[in-house]
Amino acid sequence: MSATDISTREAEIEAIKQVVATVEHAQNNELPDEFVGLFRADAIWTTGGGKRLFGREAISTFTHQVLPGGMRGSTVTFEVEHVLFIRPDVAAVKVRQVYQTADGPDVGTPLFVMAKEDGQWRLTACQNTGVLDDE
């Protein structure tokens, strides 16, 4: 891989990390429109509770029901653990998600499949999964 290829790949990873940071920001600040705006129109989202949502409209309806007030007494952090480029414009992104609650941390391991469209990385197919024992 040439230096240009490495530089391009690093820039794409940074752009992907910015999308994940926006997910974190939107959740911590209870901003459903900011969150929903990250998805493709035909995206698939499976919540941590196992609810399957098909399309941005369904994701928006669900998010507008649960996010306002949903972060009361808690915060969440997202860390990109691994990026697998399936193609230059499609990536599987493994994320470590940690909710800090009054009962202690709750760890999740979402998988975000992202596609780059019109210069923007978009959430395309996402699955949120809890972690029983992270160590």
Side-chain angles (χ1 to χ4, degrees):
M1 197 180 293
S2 73
T4 302
D5 292 339
I6 291 170
S7 177
T8 299
R9 173 88 27 124
E10 288 173 356
E12 296 297 356
I13 290 171
E14 278 307 309
I16 287 167
K17 285 181 177 180
Q18 285 302 308
V19 172
V20 174
T22 303
V23 171
E24 178 181 308
H25 179 264
Q27 286 196 4
N28 279 321
N29 293 284
E30 298 186 344
L31 302 169
D33 291 330
E34 182 176 87
F35 177 74
V36 172
L38 299 170
F39 288 87
R40 280 176 35 146
D42 60 351
I44 300 167
W45 176 263
T46 304
T47 71
K51 185 162 183 67
R52 297 168 302 174
L53 305 168
F54 302 99
R56 188 186 305 135
E57 186 175 321
I59 295 166
S60 179
T61 298
F62 175 82
T63 303
H64 279 86
Q65 289 172 351
V66 299
L67 191 53
M71 294 299 294
R72 188 172 297 120
S74 65
T75 59
V76 65
T77 58
F78 290 87
E79 175 189 352
V80 173
E81 291 185 309
H82 186 76
V83 177
L84 169 66
F85 286 95
I86 299 164
R87 298 187 327 214
D89 62 340
V90 177
V93 182
K94 199 63 183 151
V95 177
R96 177 178 164 81
Q97 165 191 283
V98 180
Y99 282 94
Q100 295 295 337
T101 70
D103 297 329
D106 182 17
V107 180
T109 180
L111 174 65
F112 296 164
V113 176
M114 301 174 74
K116 190 172 186 182
E117 297 178 345
D118 300 323
Q120 287 287 114
W121 285 98
R122 299 267 178 221
L123 298 170
T124 304
C126 305
Q127 171 81 39
N128 196 352
T129 305
V131 173
L132 297 178
D133 185 2
D134 196 42
E135 297 303 317

